[in-house]
Amino acid sequence: MKKTINLHDFRQEFINYNRTYHFSYEGLEALFNHLEDFEDYELYVVGLCVEYTEYKDQAEFWKDYNEEEYQTIEDIRERTDVILVGEEGFIIQDF
């Protein structure tokens, strides 16, 4: 059975799986909007938490990735999907 969900339902699934710590409130909305672009996407909360990471800014990103190699958002975008969140934040598909 297939079920269409809205943003509220999407956020609720993260609560149901005790994964509210993985993405910010704004990050969940950005991720939801990104996933809406895919037809027939099957929601798997744990999989999203493994596949995507949210960073509040590039300084936080550089704690996990090489600053010299990824100096700008565009550098990161050349390697993976980048979903912007607010002024400085972003979510990446982990690589």
Side-chain angles (χ1 to χ4, degrees):
M1 174 161 75
K2 210 161 113 174
K3 177 182 176 186
T4 303
I5 64 170
N6 60 27
L7 177 57
H8 172 76
D9 298 332
F10 185 74
R11 285 188 172 122
Q12 188 60 48
E13 284 300 306
F14 279 81
I15 292 168
N16 294 346
Y17 279 87
N18 294 318
R19 299 290 178 154
T20 55
Y21 59 87
H22 200 80
F23 298 103
S24 68
Y25 189 81
E26 295 80 13
L28 280 175
E29 182 173 357
L31 184 58
F32 175 79
N33 290 335
H34 173 74
L35 294 173
E36 273 194 317
D37 291 340
F38 299 101
E39 267 188 50
D40 295 326
Y41 178 79
E42 186 175 331
L43 178 59
Y44 179 50
V45 171
V46 175
L48 289 174
C49 292
V50 171
E51 190 174 351
Y52 292 90
T53 301
E54 182 175 359
Y55 295 97
K56 66 180 178 182
D57 56 28
Q58 282 190 278
E60 185 178 27
F61 172 83
W62 289 328
K63 291 177 184 176
D64 293 337
Y65 293 92
N66 186 324
E67 181 176 352
E68 290 179 22
E69 191 172 352
Y70 303 104
Q71 294 181 3
T72 67
I73 292 290
E74 289 309 313
D75 293 337
I76 301 166
R77 211 175 243 139
E78 287 178 14
R79 177 66 192 258
T80 191
D81 286 338
V82 175
I83 305 164
L84 299 178
V85 179
E87 298 277 323
E88 296 182 14
F90 55 96
I91 295 171
I92 65 162
Q93 188 170 17
D94 294 331
F95 58 95

